[in-house]
C-alpha cells in the first residue's frame, strides 16, 4: 500500500487527533486502506475511457488522478463567469451553481459506494476500534476526497479570481468554497438519510445510478460548452435580486461578492450572505447529531424488502408473442428487456447515449430554424435529421454483450439452445422494441407536429431503414452472446467499425433524400424496405453464427487475476 | 475458582426487539474456557443476532452480556481485542490483496504491521496460498477467500472465536484441516462458538450443543446427552424433533411431483 501525501499531512496533526480521543494509528490504517481502494475504482467521469483490455493490473494503477485532471478541465467552464466584470451577484451565483452541481453529483456518483459501504460494519466494527476513531476515519476520508475534487475543479476559477479581482475577492471565494463543501456534504448525507427512511437500499442504489447517468450527460454537454462559454463575457445581462432567490443556495454564495466587493449593502444581499455562512454551520451541527441515526439506517442498505417487479407485464408478453416466432426468441426478448431495465452498469453506459440520440435531431432543426426562419422549416427536408437518432444503435448493439454479471452466462452453454440466431434476434428485438421504438415514436410525434402529416411516410421509411441498420451494426461488430462479457473499453478495431457505422447512417439518409426527389419515390423505397426487412427479420438472414455457442475458446470465462 | 468466574461469556435474560417483533426472548447462557459450542437452529431463530449482540454490532438489546467478566454495554471495545470472527456473509474488501487485507486486520487488532505481515504470510503458506499472497482478493475462489477469512480471525491469537458457517466453500481436505485446528485451539483453552447448518460437522466438532428456536434456547448439552434424552441417533434427527419438523417427506413428495409435471 502506498503512503499517500494526504496521510503524511495528517501525521502532522497527530497530537490533535489524539487529544480528541482518537486512536491515531488505527485511524490512519483505516484511511490508508480506504484510499487504496479508491485508487482501484474507475470513477464515473472516466467510465469508458480508462482501462485498456488485458493490461496487467499494476500495483496501484491510478485512475483517480486522471479523473482529477478532467475535473480541472471542467472547472474551466466557470472561468468566464468569474472573469466577466459585471453583476457579481449573478456571475458568482452561476459559478457556484456549476461548482455545486458538479461536486454534488460526483459525490453521489462516485463516493456513495464509499459512504455507504456496509462491509465496514462487519469488518471494522467487530474489531477493537472505538466509535470515535471510526467516525473520524470516515470524516477524514470524505474530507480528503472533497478536498481533491474541489481543489481540481475550483483551481482555475480561483486563479482567475486572484488575477482579475485581487486578493480580497480570492480569499472570499476560497472561504465560500469551503462553506459550500460543508453544505454539500451535509445535504448529501441528509438526502441519503431521507431516502433510506422511505425506501430500501436497492431503491437508493437506483437513485444513485440515475445521478451517475445525469453526471455523465452533464460532463459530455459541459465539455462541448467550455469553448462557447467564453462568449458570455461580452454579454450584458440585467439582473435583479429577489426574495425567491433565498431558496436557491448558489445565490447565497454569490451575494457576498456583490455586497463586499461592490458595496451594495441591500438587506437582501446581507441576508443571503448571512445564510451562506450560517446554514453550513448549523447543518454541520445537525449532521453530527444525526450521524448515529445514519449509521443505523445503513443497515437497511443490505436488506432488500422490495418485492415489486413481479407484476405481470401483460402488454410486454403480447408484444413478444407478435414479434418473436420461437419460444427461445421470446425467452431472450423477455430476458433482455429485464436486463436492460435493471442492470445499473448497462444503464450507466447506454442511457446517456439514448438521451443524446433523442436531442441531436432537434439541435439540427433548431439551428436551421435559427438561420432560415420557421416558415421555410415546415416545407424543408430537415425532417431527415431524424436519422441522427439512429446514432444510439451501434453503441447499444455493442454494449449488449457486456454485463457486470457476465459469469452467469454459463447458462447459455448448459442449456440446450437450439438456434443461436434466436438468441440474437430476441435480444436485438428487445432493444429495438423497448428502447429504440419508444424514443423514435416520441420524436415522430414532435416531427409530425413540426413538419405536418406529409412526413409520416418518410418517418416510416426512416424507421424501417434503422431496423435494417441495427442488423448491419450487429453484423459488423464483434459478436458475443448477450450479457456474457465483463464491461471494458471498446477495443480499438471496434472503434473504427463504430465510426464507419456512423457514416453509414449518413448513407441511409442520402438514399432517402434521393428517393424524395422522384415522384412517389418515398413509396417505392418504402416497399423495397419492407421486403428487405422481411428477408432479414423473418428469414433470419444475418443472424447465423452458430459456432459461438460451441466455441471452445470462450470469452465467457476470461481469467482476470488481480482485478 | 467458582463457575461464574470461570465463564468467558455469560448472558442473562437477553432480549431483542426488531421492529415490534421479539427475535430473542430471554437467552441465558454461560460458556467456559475450552468449549466448542455448536450453535444451531432454523433460519431466523436468532443465532446471528446473538452473535452480533456479543460483538457489539446490535444496539438496543435488553438484558446483560458479560464477556471476560465485563459488561459490554458501556461502549468500551477493548474486549474485542480477544475475539476473532468469521462472518456468515463472508464480507471482505476484495479490492485489496491478501497481504494488504490481513495486515490491515492485524493492525486493527493492535498488532505491529511487520509482525502481522510475517504471521499472515506464514499462515497463508500453510494453507497453500502463499503464491497468491499479493493478488487481489477479487480474483480468489470462494474456498480461497474463506481460508483468508479464517486466517484474519485467528491472526491476533484470540481467546474467543465466533465462526458463522466457516467451512462453506472449502473442499473435504481443507475441512479436515480446519476441524483439527478447532479441536487444537479448544484444547489450548480457547472458546469457540460454531454456528452452522451442516449437522454432521457440528455433531463431530462441538462438545456442547445449543439449539435455538424462535428466539429461545430449546436444548443445551453435549451430543451424547441430547442423544440419550431424546432417543434419536443423529443430530439431524434431534434438530427435527425439537423444532417440531416432521413433514419433510410430504414436502419432498410434493416437490418431486411438481418436477415431473413438465
Amino acid at each position: 500500500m502506498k503512503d499517500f501525501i494526504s496521510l503524511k499531512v495528517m501525521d502532522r496533526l497527530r497530537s490533535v487527533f489524539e487529544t480528541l480521543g482518537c486512536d491515531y494509528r488505527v485511524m490512519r490504517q483505516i484511511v490508508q486502506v480506504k484510499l487504496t481502494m479508491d485508487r482501484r475504482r474507475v470513477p464515473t467521469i472516466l467510465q469508458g475511457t480508462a482501462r485498456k483490455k488485458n493490461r496487467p493490473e499494476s500495483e496501484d494503477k491510478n485512475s483517480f488522478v486522471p479523473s482529477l485532471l478532467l475535473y480541472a478541465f471542467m472547472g474551466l467552464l466557470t472561468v468566464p463567469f468569474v472573469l466577466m466584470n459585471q453583476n457579481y451577484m449573478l456571475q458568482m451565483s452561476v459559478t457556484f451553481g456549476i461548482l455545486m452541481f458538479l461536486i454534488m453529483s460526483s459525490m453521489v456518483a462516485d463516493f456513495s459506494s464509499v459512504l455507504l459501504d456496509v462491509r465496514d460494519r462487519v469488518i471494522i466494527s467487530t474489531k477493537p476500534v472505538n466509535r470515535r476513531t471510526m467516525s473520524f476515519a470516515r470524516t477524514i476520508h470524505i474530507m480528503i476526497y472533497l478536498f481533491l475534487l474541489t481543489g481540481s475543479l475550483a483551481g482555475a476559477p480561483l486563479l482567475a479570481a486572484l488575477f482579475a479581482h485581487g486578493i480580497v475577492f480570492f480569499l472570499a471565494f476560497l472561504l465560500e468554497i469551503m462553506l459550500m463543501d460543508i453544505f454539500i456534504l451535509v445535504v448529501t448525507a441528509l438526502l441519503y438519510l431521507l431516502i433510506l427512511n422511505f425506501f430500501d437500499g436497492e431503491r437508493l442504489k437506483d437513485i444513485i445510478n440515475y445521478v451517475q447517468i445525469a453526471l455523465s450527460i452533464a460532463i459530455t454537454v459541459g465539455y462541448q460548452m467550455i469553448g462557447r462559454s467564453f462568449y458570455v463575457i461580452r454579454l450584458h445581462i440585467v439582473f435583479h435580486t429577489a426574495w425567491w432567490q433565498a431558496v436557491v443556495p448558489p445565490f447565497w454564495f454569490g451575494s457576498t461578492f456583490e455586497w463586499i466587493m461592490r458595496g451594495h449593502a441591500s438587506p437582501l444581499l446581507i441576508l443571503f450572505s448571512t445564510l451562506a455562512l450560517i446554514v453550513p454551520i448549523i447543518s454541520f451541527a445537525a449532521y453530527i447529531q444525526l450521524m448515529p441515526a445514519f449509521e443505523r439506517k445503513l443497515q437497511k442498505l443490505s436488506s432488500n424488502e422490495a418485492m415489486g417487479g413481479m407484476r405481470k407485464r401483460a402488454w410486454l408478453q403480447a408484444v413478444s408473442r407478435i414479434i418473436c416466432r420461437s419460444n427461445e426468441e421470446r425467452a431472450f426478448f423477455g430476458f433482455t428487456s429485464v436486463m436492460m431495465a435493471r442492470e445499473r452498469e448497462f444503464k450507466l453506459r447506454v442511457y446517456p447515449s439514448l438521451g443524446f440520440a433523442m436531442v441531436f435531431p432537434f439541435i439540427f432543426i433548431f439551428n436551421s430554424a435559427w438561420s432560415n426562419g420557421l416558415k421555410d422549416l415546415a416545407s424543408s427536408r430537415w425532417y431527415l435529421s431524424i436519422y441522427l437518432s439512429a446514432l444510439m444503435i451501434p453503441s447499444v448493439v455493442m454494449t449488449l454483450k457486456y454485463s457486470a454479471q457476465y459469469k452467469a452466462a454459463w447458462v447459455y452453454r448448459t442449456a440446450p439452445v437450439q438456434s443461436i440466431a434466436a438468441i440474437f434476434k430476441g435480444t436485438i428485438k428487445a432493444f429495438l422494441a423497448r428502447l429504440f421504438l419508444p424514443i423514435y415514436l416520441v420524436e415522430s410525434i414532435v416531427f409530425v407536429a413540426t413538419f405536418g402529416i406529409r412526413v409520416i411516410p418518410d418517418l416510416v421509411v426512416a424507421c424501417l431503414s434503422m431496423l435494417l441498420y441495427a442488423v448491419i451494426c450487429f453484423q459488423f461488430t464483434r459478436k458475443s452472446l448477450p450479457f456474457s462479457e465483463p464491461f471494458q473499453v471498446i477495443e480499438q478495431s471496434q472503434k473504427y467499425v463504430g465510426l464507419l457505422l456512423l457514416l453509414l447512417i449518413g448513407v441511409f439518409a442520402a438514399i432517402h433524400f434521393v428517393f424524395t426527389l422522384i415522384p412517389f419515390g418515398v413509396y417505392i423505397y418504402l416497399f423495397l424496405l419492407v421486403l428487405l426487412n422481411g428477408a432479414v427479420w423473418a428469414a433470419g438472414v444475418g443472424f447465423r453464427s452458430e459456432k459461438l455457442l460451441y466455441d471452445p475458446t470462450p470469452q465467457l470465462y476470461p481469467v482476470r487475476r488481480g482485478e | 475458582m467458582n463457575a461464574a468466574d470461570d465463564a468467558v461469556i455469560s448472558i442473562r435474560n437477553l432480549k431483542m426487539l426488531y421492529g415490534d417483533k421479539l427475535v430473542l426472548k430471554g437467552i441465558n447462557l454461560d460458556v467456559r474456557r475450552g468449549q466448542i459450542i455448536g450453535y444451531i437452529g432454523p433460519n431466523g431463530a436468532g443465532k446471528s443476532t446473538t452473535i452480533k449482540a456479543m460483538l457489539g454490532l446490535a444496539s438496543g438489546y435488553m438484558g446483560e452480556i458479560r464477556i471476560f467478566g465485563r459488561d459490554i454495554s458501556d461502549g468500551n471495545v477493548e474486549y474485542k481485542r480477544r475475539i476473532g470472527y468469521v462472518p456468515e456473509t463472508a464480507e471482505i474488501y476484495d479490492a485489496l490483496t491478501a497481504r494488504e487485507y490481513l495486515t490491515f486486520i492485524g493492525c486493527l487488532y493492535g498488532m505491529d504491521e511487520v509482525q502481522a505481515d510475517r504471521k499472515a504470510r506464514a499462515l497463508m503458506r500453510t494453507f497453500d496460498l502463499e503464491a497468491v499472497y499479493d493478488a487481489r482478493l477479487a480474483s480468489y475462489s470462494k474456498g480461497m477467500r474463506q481460508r483468508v477469512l479464517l486466517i484474519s480471525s485467528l491472526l491476533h491469537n484470540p481467546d474467543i472465536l465466533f465462526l458463522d458457517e466457516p467451512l462453506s466453500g472449502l473442499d473435504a481436505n481443507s475441512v479436515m484441516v480446519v476441524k483439527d485446528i478447532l479441536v487444537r485451539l479448544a484444547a489450548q483453552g480457547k472458546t469457540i462458538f460454531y454456528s452452522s447448518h451442516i449437522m454432521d460437522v457440528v455433531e463431530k466438532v462441538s462438545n456442547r450443543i445449543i439449539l435455538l428456536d424462535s428466539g429461545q434456547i430449546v436444548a443445551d448439552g453435549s451430543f451424547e446427552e441430547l442423544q440419550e434424552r431424546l432417543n434419536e441417533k443423529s443430530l439431524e434427527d434431534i434438530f427435527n424433533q425439537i423444532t417440531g419438523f416432521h413433514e419433510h417427506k410430504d414436502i419432498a413428495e410434493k416437490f418431486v411431483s411438481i418436477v415431473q409435471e413438465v
Side-chain angles (χ1 to χ4, degrees):
Chain A
M1 263 182 289
K2 232 178 80 180
D3 215 5
F4 298 96
I5 301 169
S6 33
L7 291 176
K8 289 184 183 143
V9 175
M10 197 169 82
D11 284 341
R12 293 176 185 273
L13 299 170
R14 177 173 189 150
S15 54
V16 179
F17 288 116
E18 277 169 352
T19 15
L20 287 171
C22 149
D23 187 341
Y24 184 77
R25 206 178 72 93
V26 168
M27 184 191 83
R28 192 182 195 280
Q29 278 286 339
I30 297 174
V31 175
Q32 188 179 21
V33 159
K34 292 283 179 182
L35 291 176
T36 307
M37 292 196 288
D38 286 350
R39 295 301 182 272
R40 294 178 188 171
R41 262 177 327 124
V42 179
T44 310
I45 192 171
L46 286 182
Q47 212 110 57
T49 56
R51 200 135 70 139
K52 291 238 170 59
K53 202 191 168 194
N54 295 335
R55 190 170 70 177
E57 303 277 340
S58 64
E59 165 58 8
D60 268 304
K61 175 184 59 73
N62 198 335
S63 46
F64 190 64
V65 170
S67 84
L68 290 181
L69 290 177
L70 199 55
Y71 276 116
F73 189 63
M74 291 303 294
L76 290 177
L77 197 59
T78 60
V79 169
F81 293 99
V82 174
L83 289 179
M84 64 194 276
N85 198 2
Q86 287 190 29
N87 187 319
Y88 278 167
M89 169 78 177
L90 177 66
Q91 67 191 71
M92 291 314 284
S93 299
V94 172
T95 305
F96 273 100
I98 295 171
L99 288 178
M100 278 179 96
F101 172 80
L102 285 175
I103 293 175
M104 189 152 170
S105 52
S106 311
M107 266 282 279
V108 174
D110 291 326
F111 220 53
S112 301
S113 58
V114 176
L115 209 62
L116 307 173
D117 198 337
V118 279
R119 294 175 300 182
D120 289 355
R121 255 178 80 74
V122 176
I123 297 175
I124 298 178
S125 303
T126 53
K127 313 292 183 285
V129 177
N130 68 43
R131 195 166 284 173
R132 175 157 294 192
T133 307
M134 187 60 215
S135 49
F136 260 111
R138 188 173 286 220
T139 313
I140 295 279
H141 181 210
I142 297 172
M143 274 166 55
I144 292 175
Y145 178 83
L146 258 180
F147 176 79
L148 292 175
L149 180 65
T150 317
S152 32
L153 257 176
L158 273 170
L159 279 178
L162 182 61
F163 288 114
H165 307 297
I167 186 83
V168 180
F169 192 104
F170 169 80
L171 289 176
F173 196 13
L174 192 64
L175 177 73
E176 297 236 296
I177 284 175
M178 288 197 261
L179 288 171
M180 177 190 74
D181 269 357
I182 295 174
F183 184 67
I184 289 173
L185 174 65
V186 177
V187 168
T188 314
L190 292 185
L191 207 68
Y192 287 158
L193 198 59
L194 193 74
I195 295 169
L196 283 176
N197 221 355
F198 294 107
F199 305 109
D200 65 342
E202 281 303 300
R203 181 59 62 87
L204 179 64
K205 284 180 201 151
D206 275 338
I207 293 171
I208 292 169
N209 185 225
Y210 287 116
V211 174
Q212 290 176 320
I213 293 166
L215 177 66
S216 50
I217 292 176
I219 296 282
T220 318
V221 174
Y223 202 70
Q224 304 297 321
M225 301 251 286
I226 286 174
R228 290 180 202 184
S229 68
F230 279 84
Y231 289 113
V232 302
I233 295 181
R234 283 189 255 134
L235 287 179
H236 286 275
I237 305 160
V238 181
F239 180 77
H240 297 290
T241 320
W243 276 107
W244 60 265
Q245 286 152 10
V247 292
V248 188
F251 284 114
W252 308 340
F253 298 103
S255 65
T256 318
F257 298 91
E258 189 72 15
W259 173 32
I260 296 175
M261 300 304 296
R262 284 276 157 83
H264 290 173
S266 81
L268 268 183
L269 284 177
I270 295 172
L271 172 73
F272 289 175
S273 298
T274 321
L275 284 178
L277 183 67
I278 286 181
V279 173
I281 293 172
I282 292 178
S283 52
F284 193 68
Y287 170 74
I288 290 170
Q289 291 294 312
L290 285 168
M291 239 353 213
F294 186 62
E295 304 263 332
R296 246 176 287 125
K297 279 284 183 304
L298 279 186
Q299 293 177 51
K300 247 179 127 178
L301 266 184
S302 41
S303 74
N304 189 1
E305 301 152 359
M307 294 295 288
M310 272 323 289
R311 279 166 288 140
K312 277 261 178 195
R313 299 258 175 96
W315 66 272
L316 192 63
Q317 289 198 331
V319 170
S320 73
R321 238 164 249 296
I322 297 167
I323 63 177
C324 296
R325 304 181 101 199
S326 68
N327 270 331
E328 261 171 11
E329 207 179 309
R330 222 163 281 147
F332 276 92
F333 180 88
F335 169 63
T336 308
S337 302
V338 177
M339 288 293 275
M340 286 189 309
R342 303 259 173 84
E343 168 133 16
R344 297 192 184 98
E345 181 107 25
F346 179 84
K347 289 201 271 187
L348 182 55
R349 305 221 169 200
V350 161
Y351 280 25
S353 67
L354 294 185
F356 296 131
M358 210 159 165
V359 175
F360 275 140
F362 298 113
I363 293 177
F364 268 71
I365 293 174
F366 280 129
N367 271 338
S368 124
W370 193 267
S371 45
N372 302 326
L374 268 175
K375 274 255 165 62
D376 293 339
L377 186 67
S379 57
S380 70
R381 287 199 183 82
W382 273 108
Y383 55 79
L384 288 177
S385 69
I386 198 156
Y387 275 94
L388 286 170
S389 61
L391 288 179
M392 67 163 140
I393 293 176
S395 70
V396 177
V397 168
M398 278 191 236
T399 316
L400 274 170
K401 56 177 168 283
Y402 301 124
S403 168
Q405 271 153 357
Y406 63 95
K407 282 182 179 160
W410 58 267
V411 290
Y412 300 134
R413 305 225 164 166
T414 53
V417 177
Q418 295 284 330
S419 127
I420 198 163
I423 296 182
F424 288 128
K425 262 161 88 176
T427 306
I428 304 274
K429 278 179 185 172
F431 154 56
L432 291 173
R434 297 299 308 279
L435 291 180
F436 174 71
L437 285 178
I439 291 177
Y440 191 80
L441 203 66
V442 172
E443 303 226 328
S444 299
I445 292 168
V446 181
F447 269 66
V448 171
T450 316
F451 296 98
I453 49 170
R454 72 178 172 102
V455 296
I456 290 177
D458 292 282
L459 292 176
V460 176
V461 164
C463 182
L464 288 171
S465 315
M466 288 180 208
L467 296 185
L468 216 53
Y469 177 64
V471 182
I472 296 172
C473 287
F474 171 73
Q475 265 309 304
F476 284 93
T477 52
R478 190 173 59 77
K479 280 178 270 308
S480 187
L481 295 165
F483 307 108
S484 69
E485 291 185 24
F487 279 106
Q488 61 198 16
V489 174
I490 295 162
E491 309 97 292
Q492 206 61 34
S493 63
Q494 291 296 301
K495 265 188 193 152
Y496 296 127
V497 173
L499 217 61
L500 282 175
L501 287 171
L502 291 186
L503 291 178
L504 186 65
I505 200 65
V507 174
F508 267 106
I511 296 173
H512 188 160
F513 177 74
V514 170
F515 273 101
T516 59
L517 299 176
I518 310 166
F520 298 106
V522 173
Y523 293 96
I524 297 167
Y525 191 34
L526 182 69
F527 181 67
L528 283 174
L529 281 172
V530 169
L531 287 184
L532 273 172
N533 267 299
V536 168
W537 290 105
V541 177
F543 280 109
R544 303 217 171 90
S545 40
E546 304 291 337
K547 71 171 170 36
L548 264 183
L549 204 56
Y550 308 103
D551 190 352
T553 54
Q555 292 102 4
L556 265 183
Y557 307 104
V559 181
R560 284 157 64 91
R561 155 102 6 116
E563 167 55 5
Chain B
M1 229 196 287
N2 61 39
D5 280 345
D6 202 24
V8 185
I9 299 171
S10 119
I11 297 177
R12 288 284 166 274
N13 202 21
L14 179 66
K15 288 182 186 170
M16 179 83 148
L17 268 174
Y18 233 57
D20 52 1
K21 200 182 156 229
L22 208 54
V23 287
L24 294 179
K25 298 172 184 162
I27 305 263
N28 286 295
L29 188 61
D30 280 300
V31 181
R32 273 170 286 112
R33 269 165 55 91
Q35 285 188 332
I36 303 184
I37 294 176
Y39 198 53
I40 56 176
N43 290 322
K47 298 188 302 287
S48 298
T49 314
T50 328
I51 291 181
K52 277 183 183 156
M54 285 190 275
L55 283 162
L57 287 181
S59 51
Y61 62 82
M62 290 158 285
E64 188 190 57
I65 302 177
R66 284 181 171 275
I67 292 179
F68 307 120
R70 274 198 75 253
D71 191 333
I72 62 162
S73 61
D74 62 355
N76 188 326
V77 293
E78 273 310 299
Y79 76 96
K80 293 186 192 176
R81 208 172 287 283
R82 294 163 65 189
I83 293 182
Y85 177 46
V86 172
E88 183 197 7
T89 42
E91 303 277 15
I92 204 163
Y93 293 133
D94 55 10
L96 300 179
T97 65
R99 181 205 295 273
E100 289 164 344
Y101 182 75
L102 291 171
T103 46
F104 171 60
I105 296 297
C107 288
L108 290 186
Y109 279 117
M111 291 173 82
D112 174 65
E113 209 171 326
V114 180
Q115 186 206 352
D117 182 24
R118 188 188 53 75
K119 200 166 167 184
R121 178 188 280 276
L123 289 171
M124 286 285 279
R125 191 181 307 134
T126 61
F127 274 159
D128 247 348
L129 291 172
E130 200 185 9
V132 288
Y133 190 47
D134 281 312
R136 295 209 188 152
L137 295 170
S139 67
Y140 280 34
S141 71
K142 196 169 185 308
M144 289 158 83
R145 278 186 206 210
Q146 198 64 33
R147 277 176 277 178
V148 171
L149 281 168
L150 271 168
I151 292 174
S152 81
S153 72
L154 284 163
L155 206 52
H156 57 296
N157 194 19
D159 295 319
I160 304 178
L161 261 179
F162 291 113
L163 307 176
D164 209 342
E165 289 294 356
L167 302 180
S168 81
L170 295 184
D171 63 34
N173 295 339
S174 309
V175 167
M176 267 167 71
V177 173
V178 174
K179 280 202 282 195
D180 207 50
I181 289 174
L182 297 183
V183 172
R184 278 165 201 272
L185 288 172
Q188 287 177 5
K190 296 191 189 305
T191 308
I192 298 169
F193 234 82
Y194 186 100
S195 176
S196 173
H197 290 299
I198 305 163
M199 292 301 129
D200 330 6
V201 180
V202 176
E203 182 184 313
K204 290 203 185 80
V205 165
S206 30
N207 49 32
R208 176 178 171 191
I209 286 162
I210 293 174
L211 201 145
L212 205 66
D213 193 15
S214 29
Q216 279 169 313
I217 294 179
V218 287
D220 182 353
S222 72
F223 175 56
E224 291 75 21
E225 283 166 20
L226 296 181
Q227 241 180 343
E228 215 170 299
R229 198 173 81 209
L230 295 153
N231 203 12
E232 295 277 7
K233 265 204 239 47
S234 71
L235 185 58
E236 202 170 24
D237 295 331
I238 295 172
F239 186 96
N240 292 347
Q241 197 197 325
I242 296 182
T243 54
F245 184 77
H246 303 294
E247 58 265 35
H248 67 275
K249 285 212 171 92
D250 296 342
I251 295 175
E253 194 190 324
K254 194 186 278 173
F255 189 93
V256 171
S257 76
I258 297 173
V259 168
Q260 281 171 333
E261 275 174 23
V262 175

